[in-house]
Amino acid sequence: MNIVQKYGGSSVESIEKMQNVANRIIRKKEEGYDVVVVVSAMGKTTNQLIEMAKKITINPSQRDLDMLMSTGEQVSISLLSMVINARGYESISLTGFQAGIKTEGIHTKNKISDIEIDRVKKHLSNGKIVVIAGFQGMNEDGDITTLGRGGSDTTAVAVAAKLECVCEIYTDVDGIYSVDPRIYPNAKKIESISYEEMMEMSSLGAKIMETRSVEIGYRYKVPIYVASSLVDVKGSLIKEYDELMENKSITGLTISENVLMITVINVPYSPENISAVFSKLASKDVNIDMISQTSPNNSLVNLSFTTSKDEEYTVMEVMTQLKNQFAHIEIQKDIAVTKVSVVGMGMKNQSGIAAQVFKLFADNQIHFKLVTTSEISISYTINSADKQKAVSILAEAFNL
Ligand code: ADP
Ligand code: ASP
Ligand code: MG
């Protein structure tokens, strides 16, 4: 039977930690599994590599950046494979390309288009433990690509989908909590959570799983088990929704501080102008999250939108172009905003959650700027200074 195990950066940050990871891998092998291991770069390596690039330019070639970032995972696969081999078990390290991971899209945000899994299967059938570099692949032009931050999760789940097996994600927390335990230490561990809820939580900022990885899990029905690489306690399972899952209106609360809020003031009101703003952003692949528009006043409107802080350079470039087009507009940039979201399948057939949150915010003098909803979530942008207060109030009110 096959199994895929993924170990994140903190789980392989030192040789000592790799020895610990090797224990777990070897245990599975001894239990009779054919083991595929996906690893991230050691510790904070990826951040350090990006910092190095930033010392040269704030806008490096994205192809070069992919080339640079992909080296992190190459260090960890080679070392981990050496550790396993030194323990007397046969192992082989493979880069994303060698593992058959084909990608498409724009550099630093590539998506896996397919995996030619034969090479991995061959090594498994020869009894080897296969150690694959997460986060990377190769595009049609033969260039090295990366899958977006946190992308090793995606590699792991995609490989598990291809091998039709379970995917275990080992990290520095012992499961999925209703709230990031670093922000709200009283958060409760979730025994099992639906793909839909986890996808929503991830896309709204819960870093524990990369969004795309959960999407792939959902599509290919890969059971994903999230647990600690350090302690042996029961983790959390991401799986298909069923009636037995805890019946709360809200399952989780997520916080995203990676929010850039832009307000464009005095845009001459016409559907074409509004569309021009967002088309320009879309043409640069900027992912817009929340949008609001004031009603026309003297035929002028104000537009606000949020995106990730990583897009600041591109967004400001587009804003400069807009200023050339509309001489009288004014641009405001706000980075001291935090997005707080509540997520739960229970919201599908329960109304009044938004009203409840509005009241809690009003009673506690928390001002929100933008609000968006989906079928199973509601998000609010608030001043970053109010973050802790908002989290505690919501967590207590919804018993998270
Ligand atoms: P890895 O390097 O193993 O991929 P990450 O740092 O990407 O680990 O993800 C683990 C972190 O996710 C935890 O340290 C935790 O702070 C954070 N996190 C965010 N939301 C949650 C949540 N709801 N439950 C558990 N952890 C969460
Ligand atoms: N090393 C990459 C990152 O830091 C991928 C990952 O850790 O999943 O984003
Ligand atoms: Mg991660």
Side-chain angles (χ1 to χ4, degrees):
M1 206 166 18
N2 295 322
I3 191 159
V4 175
Q5 297 193 323
K6 178 253 169 178
Y7 293 92
S10 53
S11 306
V12 292
E13 68 187 359
S14 62
I15 302 295
E16 199 189 1
K17 286 271 178 70
M18 285 190 190
Q19 295 285 4
N20 163 62
V21 161
N23 291 341
R24 287 175 176 273
I25 297 166
I26 290 168
R27 205 192 306 159
K28 273 286 161 208
K29 183 75 187 159
E30 286 292 331
E31 282 171 22
Y33 285 91
D34 288 331
V35 189
V36 175
V37 183
V38 173
V39 272
S40 298
M42 294 171 76
K44 302 253 176 282
T45 301
T46 312
N47 287 348
Q48 288 158 2
L49 292 169
I50 295 170
E51 285 309 313
M52 265 157 76
K54 276 195 186 153
K55 282 193 185 142
I56 304 166
T57 165
I58 52 162
N59 191 28
S61 135
Q62 300 294 292
R63 182 184 176 280
D64 286 342
L65 199 56
D66 268 353
M67 189 69 91
L68 178 70
M69 289 194 293
S70 67
T71 62
E73 271 69 13
Q74 216 163 310
V75 172
S76 39
I77 52 166
S78 47
L79 292 174
L80 181 62
S81 182
M82 286 180 206
V83 169
I84 298 171
N85 277 312
R87 301 272 289 270
Y89 290 81
E90 264 197 290
S91 128
I92 178 150
S93 55
L94 299 176
T95 64
F97 162 70
Q98 290 174 318
I101 295 171
K102 297 169 137 191
T103 70
E104 61 190 15
I106 62 167
H107 274 291
T108 73
K109 293 180 186 169
N110 260 244
K111 292 201 160 118
I112 297 178
S113 51
D114 194 15
I115 304 180
E116 280 173 2
I117 202 76
D118 295 354
R119 186 165 176 182
V120 170
K121 278 189 170 163
K122 199 178 97 218
H123 289 306
L124 288 176
S125 62
N126 289 336
K128 291 201 175 127
I129 294 167
V130 181
V131 183
I132 302 177
F135 181 52
Q136 55 172 258
M138 189 170 277
N139 68 16
E140 279 179 344
D141 299 330
D143 283 329
I144 293 179
T145 58
T146 63
L147 306 174
R149 298 304 306 272
S152 297
D153 294 337
T154 311
T155 306
V157 178
V159 170
K162 203 76 191 182
L163 292 171
E164 297 180 18
C165 68
V166 170
C167 184
E168 297 182 339
I169 303 282
Y170 288 103
T171 180
D172 59 359
V173 272
D174 62 6
I176 299 161
Y177 282 75
S178 52
V179 190
D180 184 347
R182 280 182 212 263
I183 296 174
Y184 185 67
N186 292 335
K188 300 185 177 74
K189 201 197 288 189
I190 300 173
E191 195 174 318
S192 60
I193 183 169
S194 66
Y195 293 112
E196 290 97 321
E197 285 168 317
M198 193 65 236
M199 251 187 301
E200 198 80 0
M201 282 178 69
S202 296
S203 72
L204 293 168
K207 190 179 162 221
I208 180 84
M209 288 295 294
E210 205 273 331
T211 314
R212 177 109 181 110
S213 70
V214 192
E215 241 171 70
I216 294 172
Y218 182 38
R219 172 137 34 110
Y220 295 96
K221 306 283 166 275
V222 179
I224 305 171
Y225 177 69
V226 180
S228 162
S229 65
L230 288 174
V231 287
D232 273 316
V233 295
K234 195 157 170 255
S236 308
L237 190 62
I238 310 172
K239 59 181 197 124
E240 276 188 286
Y241 179 75
D242 70 47
E243 299 299 324
L244 297 174
M245 284 180 178
E246 216 179 330
N247 210 356
K248 280 180 170 179
S249 51
I250 306 291
T251 303
L253 185 161
T254 66
I255 297 101
S256 172
E257 310 216 56
N258 187 7
V259 181
L260 170 69
M261 180 167 144
I262 301 283
T263 304
V264 191
I265 298 167
N266 292 339
V267 181
Y269 177 67
S270 80
E272 290 75 25
N273 289 350
I274 308 299
S275 144
V277 174
F278 292 105
S279 308
K280 275 200 168 66
L281 290 162
S283 71
K284 303 265 182 180
D285 261 311
V286 175
N287 209 343
I288 299 298
D289 185 19
M290 306 166 118
I291 300 178
S292 82
Q293 182 202 304
T294 57
S295 43
N297 185 2
N298 291 328
S299 298
L300 296 173
V301 293
N302 299 344
L303 284 176
S304 294
F305 64 87
T306 62
T307 180
S308 114
K309 280 181 184 153
D310 309 338
E311 303 286 7
E312 183 170 346
Y313 180 86
T314 317
V315 169
M316 294 323 283
E317 237 181 11
V318 173
M319 292 302 126
T320 310
Q321 286 175 13
L322 274 181
K323 262 199 103 74
N324 292 337
Q325 191 174 345
F326 307 108
H328 301 293
I329 61 169
E330 215 182 293
I331 312 285
Q332 274 177 4
K333 183 172 82 177
D334 195 348
I335 50 169
V337 285
T338 296
K339 182 168 70 174
V340 177
S341 313
V342 287
V343 175
M345 291 289 264
M347 265 187 244
K348 275 193 180 176
N349 40 31
Q350 212 173 330
S351 52
I353 305 286
Q356 227 176 315
V357 177
F358 286 140
K359 175 145 190 355
L360 285 167
F361 281 177
D363 291 348
N364 292 281
Q365 286 88 45
I366 296 169
H367 300 284
F368 54 86
K369 302 175 179 210
L370 298 176
V371 181
T372 48
T373 62
S374 82
E375 210 181 2
I376 62 165
S377 73
I378 311 172
S379 302
Y380 305 79
T381 48
I382 59 172
N383 286 322
S384 296
D386 288 332
K387 179 183 85 175
Q388 282 298 347
K389 187 160 80 167
V391 169
S392 311
I393 289 161
L394 294 173
E396 276 164 36
F398 292 108
N399 188 26
L400 299 174

